Amino acid sequence: MTSSILIQGGTVVTADGEARADVLVDGEVITRVGKDLKTPAARIIDASGAYVIPGGIDPHTHMELPFMGTVASEDFFSGTSAAAAGGTTMIIDFVIPNPKERILDAYKKWRTWSEKSATDYSLHVAITWWDQTVYDDMGTLVRDHGVNSFKHFMAYKHAIMADDEILVASFMRARELGALCTVHAENGELVYRLQQQIFDLGISGPEGHPLSRPPAVEGEAAHRAIRIAEVLGVPLYLVHTSCIDSLEAVARARLAGQRVFAEVLSQHLVIDDSVYRDPDWNKAAHHVMSPPFRSKEHQIALWRGLQAGMLQTTATDHCCFCTEQKQAGQNDFRKIPNGTNGVEDRMGVLWHHGVRTGRLTPSEFVAATSTNAAKIFNIFPKKGAIAPGSDADLVIWDPAKSRTISAKTHHQKIDSNIYEGMTVIGNAAVTLSRGKVLWQNGKLTTEPGYGRYVNRPCNAPYWAAQTLRNAQHNPVAVQRNQKPN
Ligand code: URQ
Ligand code: ZN
Ligand code: ZN
């Protein structure tokens, strides 16, 4: 009774539908959902006229990432606090080991950085090199540390790039473990050569960045990763699908029954490549991220991909570098640290440009901002649900609340915002993380360390089907599965 909260009068929206209902929270979990709950509670939150939705899950962030000679300015506490202000109550960040660094050591390092989080979090682990210790450590991470997803950067040659030898070795190991493989799909060899060619032509500004990473470079890598996953019989998740070329590779695979998941960043849905032609070098440089922003036809296709279910999740790839940090590439676009903000803005941007335009229903919005990620990364219904027993990660979503996005007023630790000046209608009014109010009346009440690491078991129900299904036409798997007669 002491720590119970009754959220009254709202319309509960889940990925499966919406209905007028009250939600009772006791301690850290939801205990009841139903109409006109008369249960006494220590605290009442009035949600009349608003929606009650599962807290957003952002499956792709990089808080305080050491990268390209600097460290991302947003840390795990400030970033998860800003996320809460925007209605996101969980992030899945990335351990990115240096080549030859034991992945288990890197994981332990990231755990010390991430323990200051204000909301719950989890960690994907990137495979940036290969030998027997990597093979062994992947097993330890699955068995003892609740890691069920391994990331592969197909770009960033001479840094963290995974070539085909690493991809194949790691995908085979992931299949043994029942883990999910995720990829940053850009052909790193082509990027490297195109960067060189463009710079040698005398193009050194941010406008050189998209020229060195055309859609074909992403489409090739997406297709290659998908086919490797198909042959090896592993489920695959493509992060930041940004263009028609990779979207078509995903759609072809899904229509062929292959278990491929794909993510789209909120910024890739609403920002186009004209940003790189901004006469203000700093503004253009703040939009340098990979894959780059694309011409308008790609945004149209991505919205259709989201509506059609070819793209299942939305994320931000929140990886912040302040103006001074971006200026490392003042004379050479190849040295501009890649990354943008977005963790506070994702849900408002998606509601305004998705639900208010009729592209998405409120339920589809919930699926794309929370539930699908919970299911794919195997933490549903603990997360991504509004049901008895689920964590009380809840957002009172006010469809009429207007916000003009600006670096002057946002909570993200960066002196710029890629959505600067964009007004979005539909925002978080109240955010709860495991039953604790972190955001209300425009005020954050987050505490470092309140967030907990979330274990993610392997062999999600969504993948087992894939593994078996692939075995049928995977010659290696078929022999292995054949019973001796
Ligand atoms: O590639 C990524 O996802 C990281 C390094 C963030 N930077 C970016 O430009 N996307
Ligand atoms: Zn990436
Ligand atoms: Zn990323």
Side-chain angles (χ1 to χ4, degrees):
M1 175 57 182
T2 47
S3 61
S4 60
I5 297 176
L6 181 60
I7 300 170
Q8 247 174 1
T11 297
V12 169
V13 184
T14 68
D16 303 318
E18 54 183 273
R20 248 280 307 119
D22 300 337
V23 180
L24 182 66
V25 172
D26 193 2
E28 300 192 0
V29 296
I30 296 166
T31 51
R32 291 183 65 192
V33 181
K35 248 175 113 49
D36 304 329
L37 293 183
K38 298 294 180 231
T39 322
R43 180 173 177 180
I44 305 286
I45 295 179
D46 178 13
S48 42
Y51 293 106
V52 182
I53 64 174
I57 298 172
D58 187 340
H60 190 159
T61 62
H62 300 282
M63 304 302 175
E64 52 194 292
L65 172 70
F67 189 57
M68 293 180 72
T70 184
V71 178
S73 54
E74 191 84 78
D75 65 57
F76 277 93
F77 173 61
S78 60
T80 47
S81 298
T88 290
T89 55
M90 180 177 173
I91 63 171
I92 309 182
D93 207 280
F94 291 83
V95 176
I96 306 182
N98 295 313
K100 303 300 180 200
E101 179 185 14
R102 279 204 70 157
I103 64 174
L104 193 55
D105 294 342
Y107 167 81
K108 290 173 180 170
K109 185 169 63 177
W110 250 267
R111 283 296 304 269
T112 62
W113 296 344
S114 52
E115 61 191 8
K116 64 172 85 80
S117 297
T119 64
D120 287 2
Y121 59 97
S122 195
L123 296 168
H124 308 284
V125 176
I127 305 301
T128 56
W129 65 290
W130 191 261
D131 77 0
Q132 186 60 39
T133 63
V134 177
Y135 177 94
D136 298 340
D137 286 352
M138 287 174 76
T140 306
L141 288 166
V142 162
R143 190 183 56 244
D144 304 336
H145 299 282
V147 173
N148 71 17
S149 51
F150 292 101
K151 171 75 173 292
H152 308 78
F153 290 93
M154 299 170 76
Y156 306 125
K157 180 181 171 68
H158 294 324
I160 55 177
M161 183 173 106
D163 61 16
D164 284 4
E165 182 181 358
I166 296 172
L167 283 182
V168 170
S170 180
F171 280 27
M172 289 177 77
R173 180 55 169 154
R175 187 173 191 282
E176 286 174 4
L177 296 167
L180 180 64
C181 299
T182 83
V183 291
H184 170 134
E186 287 184 296
N187 183 310
E189 195 61 47
L190 282 175
V191 169
Y192 181 73
R193 296 303 180 105
L194 290 174
Q195 284 181 327
Q196 188 65 50
Q197 280 179 357
I198 286 152
F199 188 75
D200 290 349
L201 285 172
I203 300 172
S204 62
E207 70 280 9
H209 181 70
L211 299 175
S212 64
R213 314 175 94 102
V217 162
E218 182 179 333
E220 184 280 330
H223 181 76
R224 177 160 40 105
I226 286 169
R227 300 315 297 260
I228 292 172
E230 178 194 17
V231 169
L232 298 177
V234 286
L236 183 70
Y237 179 99
L238 283 88
V239 305
H240 48 44
T241 307
S242 80
C243 61
I244 293 166
D245 303 55
S246 49
L247 177 61
E248 285 179 343
V250 169
R252 184 206 60 79
R254 287 181 65 87
L255 290 171
Q258 188 176 343
R259 186 64 66 184
V260 171
F261 302 105
E263 167 195 286
V264 60
L265 304 184
S266 41
Q267 59 265 43
H268 279 144
L269 285 163
V270 297
I271 297 174
D272 66 61
D273 59 356
S274 60
V275 295
Y276 296 117
R277 295 185 285 279
D278 194 312
D280 180 332
W281 188 95
N282 290 332
K283 279 191 191 153
H286 270 295
H287 289 84
V288 168
M289 69 161 295
S290 297
F293 293 99
R294 306 291 190 184
S295 47
K296 286 192 184 310
E297 69 272 17
H298 296 283
Q299 285 97 63
I300 294 167
L302 291 174
W303 275 114
R304 288 176 180 155
L306 192 57
Q307 290 172 285
M310 292 298 160
L311 300 168
Q312 295 78 39
T313 63
T314 61
T316 63
D317 202 355
H318 187 84
C319 189
C320 293
F321 299 104
C322 291
T323 302
E324 194 180 347
Q325 291 175 289
K326 288 279 187 174
Q327 287 176 346
Q330 187 71 53
N331 304 311
D332 182 347
F333 68 86
R334 297 171 298 183
K335 299 192 174 74
I336 301 173
N338 285 207
T340 64
N341 69 287
V343 79
E344 181 175 1
D345 313 307
R346 172 180 68 124
M347 293 179 74
V349 166
L350 280 163
W351 184 275
H352 185 84
H353 293 281
V355 179
R356 284 180 64 85
T357 59
R359 289 181 171 122
L360 300 175
T361 66
S363 285
E364 288 166 341
F365 168 83
V366 166
T369 57
S370 179
T371 307
N372 286 352
K375 290 180 175 178
I376 292 167
F377 292 107
N378 206 19
I379 50 179
F380 180 85
K382 171 182 171 61
K383 301 294 186 186
I386 298 182
S390 296
D391 284 359
D393 291 2
L394 293 160
V395 177
I396 315 302
W397 189 264
D398 180 349
K401 185 176 181 214
S402 177
R403 172 180 176 233
T404 297
I405 298 174
S406 172
K408 297 184 189 65
T409 52
H410 72 196
H411 299 86
Q412 299 162 103
K413 200 186 268 186
I414 179 172
D415 58 357
S416 172
N417 189 307
I418 50 171
Y419 302 106
E420 187 68 32
M422 181 186 284
T423 296
V424 291
I425 301 174
N427 285 283
V430 184
T431 302
L432 291 87
S433 167
R434 298 197 327 272
K436 178 178 164 42
V437 173
L438 301 185
W439 169 254
Q440 189 169 25
N441 305 322
K443 290 269 177 299
L444 272 173
T445 52
T446 51
E447 291 163 32
Y450 177 75
R452 289 208 196 108
Y453 177 78
V454 179
N455 285 303
R456 295 176 291 117
C458 277
N459 292 307
Y462 290 83
W463 314 334
Q466 167 61 46
T467 310
L468 287 175
R469 193 180 305 173
N470 263 31
Q472 284 145 27
H473 64 267
N474 174 323
V476 172
V478 167
Q479 280 156 21
R480 204 180 292 151
N481 290 341
Q482 253 164 3
K483 299 273 175 293
N485 46 26

